[in-house]
Amino acid sequence: MTYAAGAPVTVGVDGSPASLDAVAWAANEAGRRGRAVKLVYVNSWPAYTYAMWPAWGPPESRDGREAGRLVVADAARHAAVSAPATQVVTEVVDGGPASVLLDRAEHSALLVVGRRGVGGFPQLVLGSVASQVAIYAGCPVAIVPEHPVPPADDGPGIVLGVDGSDQCQAAIEYAFTEASLRGRKLTAVRSWYWPADDPAIVEPAPLPAHHLLEQQRLLSEALAGWAEKYPDVEVRTVIAHHRPARALLDATAGAEVLVVGARGSGGFRALLLGSVGETVARHAHCPVVIARA
């Protein structure tokens, strides 16, 4: 997973408390990776008023940009306090939030957004902006909850959802890199659950021994070679006989970051496109990173 040497960690800001939490997280992440953090405010008002012109008259973006400059200035101060050694770059631009962020993602090492926002990023996790960014961004995407729960010293460290798909390899690489940079352990989770067996089951029966061995083999195959590349990372594996979202949320108690692939299969099929992705993004107490090949 390589990016241009100058590619920043880009974060969408809108002045909300959630976006400031995202700024703090992004600034520290950029510092660990030796990159700048770029704060982007999208003034979306002209995009809407152009659609109504000439009924409303020519759109005026000046006021929106001035407000945006105040927002990014406050966010820059927040970033400087959180990560004093990290270079901070700011940008205020007219346009639609999703299109602007997707464009900036093409030149970023990581795109960071807050779980909820106002102004340019309303209801980010649940709306079309989040869906488009999560699915189509050309770089990994991190969704940061408001007031993230501090990780536990004896917690799982970096949690990784493993399903054996091609996209999962990007998630594995990202998770190992993150664990190495943070000096934390890595907890790799594979979910095994067949809804067709009995959709009404809330607490599945214990996993039969032969199924457990098979899942452990598949998980070991997916992780093969990575421990040798990152000998400093302690690896713990978990086979969870639960629905995928439940398995991941349970595993992230006390975690620093949850890393998943942009597309899933098996136990994490369509992770970002259905209820699993929405549940994880909405309820995880730690940042969720969506990695892609």
Side-chain angles (χ1 to χ4, degrees), residues 91-119:
E91 180 182 24
V92 177
V93 59
D94 294 343
S99 61
V100 169
L101 290 180
L102 289 173
D103 177 73
R104 299 306 184 269
E106 294 300 318
H107 311 285
S108 300
L110 176 68
L111 179 62
V112 184
V113 292
R115 176 174 288 175
R116 289 182 177 82
V118 298

Side-chain angles (χ1 to χ4, degrees), residues 4-70:
V9 172
T10 298
V11 54
V13 300
D14 60 14
S16 68
S19 80
L20 290 180
D21 287 328
V23 166
W25 188 89
N28 281 287
E29 186 70 9
R32 274 188 289 271
R33 294 172 180 268
R35 298 180 182 274
V37 62
K38 184 174 185 178
L39 314 179
V40 179
Y41 178 92
V42 181
N43 177 31
S44 58
W45 180 242
Y48 298 119
T49 53
Y50 268 119
M52 299 303 296
W53 185 53
W56 289 2
E60 177 59 70
S61 65
R62 181 179 59 193
D63 292 343
R65 286 190 174 185
E66 290 176 354
R69 281 191 283 271
L70 293 175

Side-chain angles (χ1 to χ4, degrees), residues 90-255:
T90 64
E91 180 182 24
V92 177
V93 59
D94 294 343
S99 61
V100 169
L101 290 180
L102 289 173
D103 177 73
R104 299 306 184 269
E106 294 300 318
H107 311 285
S108 300
L110 176 68
L111 179 62
V112 184
V113 292
R115 176 174 288 175
R116 289 182 177 82
V118 298
F121 303 98
Q123 297 180 344
L124 191 60
V125 164
L126 304 179
S128 61
V129 174
S131 297
Q132 292 178 60
V133 167
I135 296 170
Y136 298 113
C139 70
V141 175
I143 299 175
V144 180
E146 189 173 357
H147 307 313
V149 175
D153 291 337
D154 59 348
I158 308 303
V159 176
L160 166 67
V162 179
D163 61 16
S165 67
D166 292 339
Q167 288 286 341
C168 185
Q169 288 299 308
I172 293 172
E173 181 178 3
Y174 190 99
F176 268 94
T177 301
E178 192 76 1
S180 180
L181 288 172
R182 291 172 178 259
R184 303 289 290 193
K185 75 176 76 169
L186 185 148
T187 300
V189 181
R190 181 176 174 87
S191 170
W192 172 257
Y193 180 72
W194 284 98
D197 290 346
D198 186 350
I201 291 179
V202 176
E203 293 293 341
L207 192 65
H210 66 284
H211 285 312
L212 178 61
L213 291 174
E214 175 65 9
Q215 295 308 308
Q216 289 174 333
R217 181 187 67 79
L218 293 172
L219 181 54
S220 296
E221 287 181 356
L223 298 176
W226 289 103
E228 288 74 20
K229 292 181 181 179
Y230 293 87
D232 58 320
V233 175
E234 175 188 351
V235 180
R236 172 175 171 257
T237 59
V238 175
I239 304 298
H241 192 200
H242 288 299
R243 291 178 174 87
R246 166 79 178 274
L248 290 174
L249 290 173
D250 285 351
T252 56

